[in-house]
Amino acid sequence: MVADSERDANMLYAVDMFVPDPFIYMRLKDQGYVVMNDLEIERARKESRQNRVLSLSRYQQAALRNGDGRPSLAQVICMVMRERRIKKVFVPESFPFGLARELRRLGVKVKIKDGLCFPERAFKRADEVKKISAALVMAEVGLAEAMQALRNSKIGRNRQLMYRHAPLTAERLRAIIHTAVFQAGGTPCHTIVAGGRQGCDPHEEGHGTLRAHEPIVVDVFPRSQKTGYFGDITRTVVKGRASERIRGMYQSVAAAQELAFKHLRNKTVCATAHEAVVSFFDNQGYKTGRKNGMMHGFFHATGHGVGLEIHEAPRIGVQSRDVLRPGHVVTVEPGLYYPELGGVRLEDVALVTGNGPKNLTKFEKVLEI
């Protein structure tokens, strides 16, 4: 692999340290090698002890002594390979095309590795579960601040929410969440605060003034600044009084989530778990389909894996071929969306064990505040 570990989850998994610039990683016979510049080499030797750390400058100086000039990254890779008598490499699908082309020009056989680069990433070790749980706490801290602001807000004209003598907007509430998440050690990104009709688009971040008596979907998914692992949580709340129809939707979503949890067991086919939630909503009278160009009902996956990426294997959806196994950490997030009413979604994070699921989320579920 050639990538930075700030943004590439596979590289972070391989080296267990943050490096902002692309570097070389190779694995041969279960031994990992990293080629680091002088700026990072000592830190790599301390923080990435599972890998052998090689000096980039050593290869550069050797090329200069041989009269080859300053070598390119591809030439350095070739030098490392020649030392180990390697002529063929497998690279991930994300490998830079230009670099692959240059390696081939230098005589290296480059083949794309099908499937996941590290399949074991889907199965979380005990230390990884702790890191996800810590990131989840960061999300809960931000969510708690949002709930407190909503509780302390007043209902003004036209159901407009007022907080500290100014309109409470989605942007303002998101800033409150982000401040709390930062202080807790997380990095928030694209936090969702979507009120009313905006909540019908599951990925709408939300904008404008929030209003009383309508659902507000709050979805917080920060990344730990220390470890790179994510947490993910969603709650739907109403400031004031929810209508009977919203209350019914909320109760059905909560029941659907409980049903989904019962399916989080060893050897469960993910698509089967999702289909159970879809059938439940259908039987409750909440049909899914397109009307006036917009989707209605329950039209996204029941959940997804979470770890060094916010969305990773396994997927709990209609087209998923994944099968649940102990060690999987997944979200459970059923939702219902109807433009005339708004959106309702609840999301927890669960660890699949040999004895059933363990809910890692501690935050309460309350509709009206």
Side-chain angles (χ1 to χ4, degrees), residues 316-367:
I316 308 177
V318 64
Q319 296 181 339
S320 176
R321 296 182 179 179
D322 296 329
V323 177
L324 293 176
R325 299 290 186 185
H328 283 153
V329 175
V330 296
T331 66
V332 185
E333 50 178 310
L336 288 172
Y337 311 91
Y338 296 96
E340 68 275 16
L341 299 171
V344 174
R345 183 168 69 254
L346 296 172
E347 177 183 26
D348 290 350
V349 174
L351 167 67
V352 179
T353 76
N355 298 319
K358 178 183 178 181
N359 194 338
L360 303 179
T361 307
K362 309 302 181 185
F363 204 89
E364 65 180 352
K365 298 182 180 79
V366 178
L367 174 59

Side-chain angles (χ1 to χ4, degrees), residues 22-70:
F23 60 96
I24 301 165
Y25 170 86
M26 300 177 68
R27 189 169 63 182
L28 176 63
K29 296 180 180 179
D30 296 325
Q31 174 63 61
Y33 298 84
V34 291
V35 183
M36 289 291 185
N37 61 35
D38 291 343
L39 179 65
E40 303 287 3
I41 193 166
E42 291 304 321
R43 188 166 67 91
R45 286 169 177 160
K46 293 177 183 177
E47 297 183 21
S48 189
R49 294 180 181 177
Q50 71 274 27
N51 297 302
R52 282 195 59 186
V53 182
L54 308 177
S55 169
L56 174 63
S57 62
R58 180 173 74 84
Y59 292 101
Q60 292 172 333
Q61 290 166 8
L64 290 171
R65 286 195 299 269
N66 293 335
D68 298 329
R70 187 175 180 85

